[in-house]
Amino acid sequence: MTQSCDILILGGGPAGYAAALEAASLNKSVVLVEKDFLGGTCLNRGCIPTKLFLGASQAIAEIQAQSRLRLGQGGFSLDMRALQKRKALLLSGSRQAMAKALEAAGVRVVQGQGELLGPNQVLVRPAGETTREDKEVRIPFDRLILALGSRPAWPKGLEPDGEHVLLSDHILDLQEAPASLVVIGAGAIGIELAQFFLRMGSQVSLLEAAPQIAPTEDAEISAQLAAILKRQGLDLQAGVAVRGLERKHNRGGVAVILDADQRLDADKVLVAVGRKPNTDVFGLDQAGVVRSERGAVSVDAHLRAAAHIYAVGDCNGRMLLAHAAEHQGRFAARHAAGAITGPYRSGAIPFCIYGDPEAIRVGPTAQEAAALGLECTVSRAVFAANPVAQAFGAPHGLVKATWNAGKIIGVSAVGHGALHFVSAAVIMVDQGWTRDQVEEMIFAHPTLDETLRQALLAPQEPL
Ligand code: NAI
């Protein structure tokens, strides 16, 4: 048995890390338990390595765009092995920085796998081992914050093998780009990684079961995104469900079996069809924690799974986004510390798909607003005449705004550098700006943001 703590946090990803620092800043004694690396999916297997890959290969996309304009020729050949070394260096540096920040804040980090021994006690075992009792630690706590994260999921028939059939975790460790790649699932992960390997010279097919890629995005935005990606050379098919996979034992590679007995051969397959919460922690049920059919921890308006247990980030299934997880983590820490009492309010949340083009969304899409029965109008503008988009040889895409009762309730965009104005869009949607407020604001010239302005000031049409 070790010293008890006020707040114990299970999981050291963005949600758990933010919660730990926040709770420590409120003078609580805090223990953070992590079985793997600090930083969780975001730092080690998700957002950060993917953005490193896209950033390192961005020059390829930009050279190609200028070459299409016949302004010159040339290329940049990215060394995947060098990139992997750089990734390892950057990630370990970030993990060390996190460990130092936790130490400086007085948070005790315990390495191992946690399980609940009772309503107020956690047992931490060395990860991967179950028999070494001498290495076990029991930590009594007052409040518990579950920040357990999520992991890739797959349906029957699409089981990964880590060699030819890969998950996002595996593909981010490849030492060389495959000659051909089939990406199954065109959500954020599928779209971002398909773009990276296309830049690396792989022949890439992106398959999506829903009628449009990025199914949660506005239909018009998704259609533009698809058109731009196709122009770049991506083989993109929506409305095709993958039935199964066949390993080709003699020649290596995989055959992807599509509807109507169509097959696609590839060296590697990436399965990016969604994620599931990591909530298989022993003892949760006995502590009164309820899980949905998909395994997500059910939480109340205060992100509480039980009177003294909170669940934040991916494991509550609300929003699988690092920035949302961090925000929830800070809230839970403040609530658990008694510093606030009101319910959780997230404000407007940005959704972003990286690459070139980028896609953003804040608030509901026009289709979602209509489904909610809201009386809406939409206004839009295209990037075609934007001088910055033209300079980058990427004058494609559009910005679309959704309005209700004279206020902006949603902004979606797709185009080169659309992420530049995502935080402006968050503020406008969160505060429900009117057209007059937009009119009063001065937008820098020339910027991509001017297309946002143009879209907001454009005539509004019924949905
Ligand atoms: P997702 O749920 O966003 O997309 C998976 C896609 O696979 C869906 O479009 C679905 O219709 C499709 N699909 C399912 N079964 C299929 C089949 N048999 N054949 C073809 N298509 C099929 O999941 P994803 O992309 O794995 O991302 C997981 C989570 O991580 C998401 O919630 C996402 O928001 C988050 N994330 C966010 C990023 C960002 O903000 N830039 C980047 C990466 C992930």
Side-chain angles (χ1 to χ4, degrees):
M1 181 90 69
T2 62
Q3 212 182 335
S4 66
C5 64
D6 295 325
I7 299 180
L8 190 141
I9 299 160
L10 276 187
Y17 178 68
L21 291 181
E22 188 71 22
S25 77
L26 295 167
N27 295 321
K28 296 292 165 189
S29 58
V30 185
V31 172
L32 175 71
V33 178
E34 169 58 56
K35 66 178 163 128
D36 193 5
F37 288 127
L38 284 176
T41 301
C42 172
L43 176 63
N44 300 292
R45 299 173 297 279
C47 324
I48 304 305
T50 322
K51 264 80 266 177
L52 174 66
F53 283 20
L54 286 171
S57 60
Q58 175 65 18
I60 299 172
E62 293 188 358
I63 291 169
Q64 284 170 351
Q66 300 301 332
S67 304
R68 276 196 291 271
L69 292 171
R70 298 173 197 273
L71 296 186
Q73 42 186 291
F76 172 64
S77 132
L78 179 62
D79 180 342
M80 195 85 191
R81 284 173 197 273
L83 181 62
Q84 289 294 3
K85 278 193 195 142
R86 181 164 154 74
K87 182 189 91 178
L89 208 67
L90 286 174
L91 300 196
S92 85
S94 297
R95 290 192 292 260
Q96 279 166 26
M98 289 177 83
K100 271 196 191 142
L102 290 169
E103 194 188 345
V107 175
R108 204 175 120 221
V109 178
V110 177
Q111 191 73 32
Q113 178 136 4
E115 60 185 62
L116 274 170
L117 276 191
N120 286 87
Q121 196 178 131
V122 153
L123 170 74
V124 184
R125 300 174 195 269
E129 295 178 46
T130 47
T131 51
R132 299 283 303 276
E133 276 184 29
D134 56 321
K135 289 207 173 167
E136 291 176 359
V137 195
R138 287 159 193 245
I139 312 166
F141 61 81
D142 196 25
R143 298 269 187 280
L144 174 68
I145 299 179
L146 301 170
L148 303 160
S150 65
R151 61 180 181 276
W154 58 87
K156 207 168 173 303
L158 300 187
E159 287 80 8
D161 61 14
E163 196 189 341
H164 295 292
V165 182
L166 311 176
L167 298 171
S168 50
D169 297 14
H170 306 122
I171 205 165
L172 289 167
D173 285 336
L174 284 185
Q175 294 292 332
E176 58 186 80
S180 54
L181 172 71
V182 171
V183 178
I184 304 175
I189 294 180
I191 291 172
E192 292 179 6
L193 288 168
Q195 287 190 69
F196 171 72
F197 285 100
L198 190 66
R199 291 174 184 177
M200 295 302 292
S202 305
Q203 194 190 323
V204 184
S205 297
L206 177 58
L207 309 177
E208 169 57 51
Q212 64 174 55
I213 65 162
T216 52
E217 303 311 314
D218 181 277
E220 224 176 316
I221 297 288
S222 164
Q224 280 285 321
L225 177 60
I228 299 169
L229 294 175
K230 276 185 183 169
R231 206 173 301 133
Q232 292 174 1
L234 190 74
D235 166 38
L236 202 161
Q237 302 180 43
V240 289
V242 173
R243 286 231 215 109
L245 304 171
E246 251 173 45
R247 295 302 121 85
K248 294 200 265 166
H249 295 290
N250 46 350
R251 284 174 291 136
V254 188
V256 179
I257 319 290
L258 303 178
D259 272 347
D261 294 328
Q262 235 188 308
R263 296 160 69 100
L264 266 180
D265 291 336
D267 291 331
K268 307 263 185 210
V269 170
L270 168 67
V271 179
V273 296
R275 300 179 63 88
K276 65 174 172 198
N278 284 332
T279 54
D280 29 16
V281 170
F282 184 82
L284 284 186
D285 299 332
Q286 291 84 333
V289 172
V290 175
R291 279 167 283 192
S292 73
E293 218 170 277
R294 289 196 58 243
V297 173
S298 307
V299 289
D300 67 9
H302 298 90
L303 303 180
R304 269 181 315 208
H308 66 306
I309 302 178
Y310 297 77
V312 292
D314 289 10
C315 75
N316 68 23
R318 281 192 165 194
M319 200 75 65
L320 274 66
L321 293 169
H323 43 277
E326 224 180 288
H327 194 262
Q328 292 176 17
R330 282 197 301 273
F331 168 86
R334 283 198 290 273
H335 198 272
I340 50 169
T341 52
Y344 175 67
R345 182 189 173 269
S346 75
I349 299 173
F351 291 83
C352 313
I353 301 177
Y354 291 72
D356 200 350
E358 293 169 339
I360 63 155
R361 173 167 55 85
V362 184
T365 63
Q367 293 83 18
E368 282 169 345
L372 289 172
L374 295 176
E375 252 183 53
C376 290
T377 53
V378 292
S379 58
R380 48 171 83 68
V382 293
F383 281 109
N386 185 297
V388 176
Q390 286 172 343
F392 281 91
H396 312 290
L398 81 155
V399 183
K400 187 168 168 183
T402 307
W403 303 78
N404 174 245
K407 294 185 170 184
I408 306 167
I409 59 164
V411 173
S412 289
V414 60
H416 171 84
L419 261 148
H420 273 289
F421 51 76
V422 70
S423 297
V426 168
I427 292 168
M428 291 171 175
V429 170
D430 200 58
Q431 299 180 351
W433 279 30
T434 61
R435 194 177 182 285
D436 286 349
Q437 280 174 287
V438 178
E439 191 95 67
E440 271 174 26
M441 183 173 149
I442 296 179
F443 288 71
H445 173 73
T447 56
L448 292 166
D449 306 30
E450 287 172 297
T451 302
L452 170 65
R453 175 179 185 273
Q454 219 188 333
L456 295 170
L457 296 181
Q460 293 174 27
E461 298 162 17
L463 264 180

